[in-house]
Each structure stands twice: as structure tokens, then as C-alpha cells.
Amino acid sequence: MDVSSAVACASDTIAAIATPPGTGGIAIIRVSGPSARQVAGRVFRPARQQRSEEPSQGHRPKWRAKLGGVFDSNGQFVDEAIMLSMLAPASYTREDVVELSCHGGPVVARAVLQAVLDAGARHASPGEFTRRAFLNGRIDLGQAEAVLQVISARTDRARRSASAFLSGQSGSIVSESREAVVQLMTRIEASLDFPEDDIPQIEVIEIGETARRIAMDLYGAASEVYRGRILWEGASVAIVGRPNVGKSRLLNALLREERAIVSDWPGTTRDTVSEVANIRGIPIQLIDTAGMREPTDAVERIGVERAKGALADANIALAVVDGSMLLSEYDQAIVAITPEDRTIVVVNKSDLAAAFDDGDLRCHVGNRRMLRVSALAGSGIDQLEAEIEALAMAREGHFDDGARSFGTRIADCLRRSAAALDDAARASSDGVPADMLSIDLRAALDALGEITGETAREDVVERIFEQFCIGK
């Protein structure tokens, strides 16, 4: 990273509304930078004079809250507010930070912000506060990405995963691996500085074995990061089957609410119905599709085509069949067009007498997962959710990497680092001199440094912070 960016970043004072838009209890206007306290002092008047407005340098508290009022550039009263001052480095950005908490209306919040801007602050760009926290060394780049994930988390499980990364718990593999690789390089560099103490080949092989062990840990960590990514992005599940097998009732059972219209009349669902369910902490987009059969009219034909499109686009398919009726050719045909590796064949209506046993169905199911449920009675739904979770967490190869979201960059760095360590291990086994191993070890270190931001390109940093909202 070019340190000039950090210097330029710290040269001015920025401000923005830090709370979500809309009406609420309070709104917070955040100010950060070298002139934060001076800017706030131009707009804020305390309700009563403190005994000592400026205590001695050695006894100044790091945080201070005052009740008072905000006044605009014309001296007009704007609103009551509480001013919270946080002195560097004891703040989110490690700069002087002042937060003005006023009443939570959008109009008054904008008026307070405008007063602050008129007093000399610049409006912050998206993610600029967190960017300053990164550039000033409070958090690393991976933790900055975790901030974005915490904000965007749609389930508590996703929030916990992001919080673990933000606190450094999940990032320990990076620091531990970096330290281990540095130790390997130190041993090699010591031999270059003192050639008379050249490292024997047996020790070179040991270095390679250590590199291979670190690589295995990093490969495992990369897989964990990819699996964690699903908690943020979620997965899509298409519910397909012929008419009247209970697809809409199954959707309602998974949602735990009556969302789709249920009727004994075949063909009630003429178009796709989509809702998001929280299934074991994973945001799952459930798509109830029209019954697949020979269309009887143009509208139904469109519904069937959309059902096929939803099946093609979905990460997971639930192929629903009616367990109280013999399998039809349509049942078999629908199951046949679903992907084996990400389909669950759901035998619905298990509360009724079974018309066939599992063995009769297995020859049509192949390697697909199979489960009996009753969407009406609710039996088997918990197990179905467990099967959906298992398939969702295993969908590493089904991400659309056109969108470089949280986890992709980190997992790629972990894997590139692991691959470089594998190269070093193979080279040591092939008798390559120790000094040549340092090239692969350096590549491994650089890849790990991209996670923390030490070796990340400026355009990568820009792409991360441009995803943030203004005020964070």
C-alpha cells in the first residue's frame, strides 16, 4: 500500500450521517479528522459551561459527552444534541472523532450535517470512516470486509460469522501461517548470510514438509471461508413438480407462514412465487413454481417455462412427488431433469397411505437425496431443512464469481498462498537448493499480505470500500 494515501486521507476532516435514513429515536452525525473538535465547537454550544473546558494535556479524558444545542452558520438554533468527543487514538478511525446525536428525523439530521459542513468539514465518501480505520492501522483489510458483512448480515448466524472475523478469531490462521513462513525464510536467509553453514539437504526436506503442513491448513481455511460466504449470500431453492403434489404447501411449511395460495385444484400456482426463509441461519430464497405438465393454455405455458428457468438458475432443487399416488411419467421426467448433485427428491403427503416404497423410487432418483415429508402435518420438515443446509454449505463450486463478494478474495489469497507453499514443498523434495525455496515462500507471504492489506493493490482496496454506505 502507498502510505501517501494514508497521509492524504488524514489531512482533512470528514462528516456524514452515521445512522440509517428515515425517522428514528436519534440520528448521529459523525465527524472525524484533525479538526473534528474545532469543527464541532463552531456548531455546538453546551447547555452549561464546564468547570474546565480544556483540561491539562496529561489529564484530558479520552471520551466526553456534553448536552447542548446545534446552531447553523447564521447562529440559528437547529436542534438539541449530545456531543460525544473521542480523542485519537481512542476512536473508530484512530483520529479525533466527534459524534452529534440529535433527534432522529431526516430533515433535522440533514440540517445538523449541513451546519457541520459549513463549519469546515468535508462530506465523507462511502466507507471513508472504515477506510481511515484501516489506513491508520486499527483494523486490517480482512476485518474491514467483515465490517461490511456485519452490516449486511441477514441472519444471526451470518452476523456471528462476520463478528468472529472482525474480532480476529477467524483471522488467526493468517497471522499464524505468516509467522511460520517467516521462520522458514529466516532459516534459509541465515544460510545465505553464512554460506559456510550451508543448510544440509535433510533440513531442506524438513522445510518442505513444514511448508506442506502450512499449505494444508490454508486449504482448509479457504474452504471454511467459502462455506462462510453462503451465510452472507444465501442460496436459491426451486420447488418443482407436477400440479397438486403440494409444492405451495411445502413453501408455506418452510416459511412457517401462509404465503402461497393452497388449493386442491391443480394449476393454482400459475407463476413463480419467491420468498426468503431463514433456514438454520442461512438466507434461502424459496421459489415456488408452476406445476410442470402439458400446458392447457398460453398462461400456463408461460408458467411452465418460468418453472424450467427457475430450476436452471437455482442452486438447489426440491423435486416434489406425491407419495400417496403412483409415480407418473411426469414425476419421472421432472426428477430426471434436475441435477443429481444438488437435488432433494421430496416425497410429500407422508401422512397418507404410501402408494410406493423407497425402493420403487430409488431407480428413478439415482444419486439424488430423498426424503419423505408431510407439508400439511409438518413431519419431516426439520430433516428437510437439514438437507437444504448441507447442500447449501457444500455449494462452493456454484458461486457466481462475477460478483467478488466477501470471502472470495480472502479464499483466493489463502489458496494462492497454499499453492506457493506446495510448490516449495515439491521443490525441496526434488533437491532444489534452499535459496530457491525462498521465492515460493515469498509468494506465499505476499498472498497472505493481501488479506490484511499489506500487499493489496490500491484498486482492490477501492473496490472493497466502494461497497460501503456513506457514514461507515
Side-chain angles (χ1 to χ4, degrees):
M1 287 284 305
D2 185 357
V3 294
S4 63
S5 299
V7 174
C9 177
S11 65
D12 57 359
T13 297
I14 58 173
I17 300 172
T19 42
T23 302
I26 62 170
I28 298 175
I29 289 76
R30 178 177 291 158
V31 190
S32 179
S35 302
R37 288 187 297 141
Q38 291 86 341
V39 167
R42 295 182 189 121
V43 303
F44 181 83
R45 299 178 192 174
R48 63 184 180 86
Q49 198 71 13
Q50 304 295 315
R51 288 185 179 180
S52 175
E53 286 298 322
E54 289 296 334
S56 62
Q57 187 72 22
H59 297 88
R60 287 192 303 168
K62 294 184 181 297
W63 303 281
R64 173 182 287 181
K66 296 179 184 179
L67 174 65
V70 175
F71 294 78
D72 64 19
S73 57
N74 296 318
Q76 296 296 311
F77 176 77
V78 178
D79 191 23
E80 285 188 320
I82 293 176
M83 182 177 75
L84 176 62
S85 302
M86 294 164 275
L87 302 184
S91 71
Y92 180 68
T93 61
R94 279 194 175 169
E95 301 174 328
D96 282 351
V97 171
V98 175
E99 291 184 347
L100 295 168
S101 299
C102 62
H103 290 102
V107 175
V108 68
R110 288 196 297 268
V112 173
L113 173 61
Q114 189 59 55
V116 170
L117 298 178
D118 291 342
R122 171 178 63 78
H123 200 295
S125 59
E128 191 167 0
F129 292 100
T130 303
R131 183 187 180 100
R132 290 189 177 202
F134 160 61
L135 292 173
N136 291 329
R138 183 182 174 275
I139 57 175
D140 63 33
L141 193 58
Q143 289 174 307
E145 288 182 273
V147 169
L148 183 61
Q149 191 188 26
V150 167
I151 295 170
S152 305
R154 291 183 283 173
T155 68
D156 193 56
R157 183 176 176 185
R159 191 271 310 162
R160 290 196 304 270
S161 174
S163 297
F165 206 100
L166 181 59
S167 67
Q169 297 173 33
S170 299
S172 60
I173 183 67
V174 177
S175 57
E176 292 170 0
S177 298
R178 280 179 60 83
E179 178 61 28
V181 175
V182 167
Q183 290 180 7
L184 293 181
M185 292 187 66
T186 300
R187 293 172 63 184
I188 293 174
E189 289 170 3
S191 70
L192 299 179
D193 293 336
F194 304 97
E196 65 276 8
D197 298 327
D198 192 25
I199 300 179
Q201 183 59 32
I202 181 79
E203 199 165 340
V204 172
I205 293 176
E206 289 176 1
I207 290 174
E209 291 174 347
T210 302
R212 183 173 285 109
R213 285 196 298 271
I214 301 171
M216 293 300 295
D217 290 340
L218 292 177
Y219 279 129
S223 295
E224 285 298 318
V225 170
Y226 265 119
R227 282 191 288 271
R229 178 180 168 184
I230 192 64
L231 300 178
W232 193 31
E233 290 193 3
S236 57
V237 175
I239 306 174
V240 298
R242 61 181 176 81
N244 219 32
V245 294
K247 299 185 299 299
S248 297
R249 198 180 294 278
L250 182 62
L251 172 75
N252 292 340
L254 290 169
L255 288 172
R256 303 296 199 273
E257 64 175 278
E258 296 298 315
R259 170 61 180 85
I261 298 173
V262 176
S263 169
D264 292 333
W265 188 264
T268 301
T269 303
R270 309 277 281 185
D271 199 357
T272 57
V273 176
S274 178
E275 286 290 334
V276 176
N278 180 348
I279 294 181
R280 303 202 169 197
I282 305 172
I284 299 291
Q285 183 185 25
L286 298 169
I287 307 166
D288 180 21
T289 65
M292 291 184 177
R293 64 177 180 182
E294 193 64 36
T296 59
D297 56 46
V299 174
E300 187 173 16
R301 182 175 296 106
I302 294 172
V304 171
E305 290 303 316
R306 289 186 178 180
K308 293 178 180 177
L311 176 60
D313 295 337
N315 306 120
I316 299 169
L318 301 185
V320 185
V321 299
D322 185 343
S324 67
M325 301 179 63
L326 293 174
L327 288 175
S328 70
E329 292 183 0
Y330 282 118
D331 289 322
Q332 298 173 29
I334 292 168
V335 170
I337 64 174
T338 61
E340 283 197 28
D341 62 336
R342 46 194 178 94
T343 295
I344 305 169
V345 177
V346 181
V347 184
N348 192 23
K349 305 185 182 181
S350 62
D351 53 308
L352 303 177
F356 55 86
D357 58 31
D358 291 350
D360 296 330
L361 183 59
R362 177 54 64 186
C363 61
H364 302 293
V365 169
N367 293 323
R368 297 169 183 84
R369 300 173 185 229
M370 187 173 66
L371 183 65
R372 286 186 180 268
V373 308
S374 170
L376 178 63
S379 62
I381 298 299
D382 287 343
Q383 188 178 351
L384 177 58
E385 289 181 339
E387 295 286 351
I388 292 173
E389 177 192 22
L391 278 180
M393 297 302 284
R395 63 176 277 254
E396 181 176 324
H398 301 292
F399 284 112
D400 176 14
D401 284 331
R404 307 290 289 180
S405 65
F406 179 81
T408 308
R409 185 188 72 87
I410 293 174
D412 286 347
C413 293
L414 289 169
R415 287 185 169 171
R416 284 194 286 109
S417 180
L421 290 167
D422 268 342
D423 290 341
R426 282 192 295 270
S428 69
S429 300
D430 294 340
V432 173
D435 58 326
M436 298 299 293
L437 301 184
S438 62
I439 298 175
D440 292 323
L441 296 179
R442 170 54 60 186
L445 276 180
D446 287 345
L448 292 176
E450 290 181 36
I451 297 175
T452 60
E454 295 172 67
T455 58
R457 300 193 315 271
E458 185 65 23
D459 63 316
V460 173
V461 176
E462 290 292 340
R463 284 201 302 272
I464 291 171
F465 287 104
E466 69 186 10
Q467 300 177 64
F468 280 75
C469 61
I470 295 175
K472 191 60 183 176

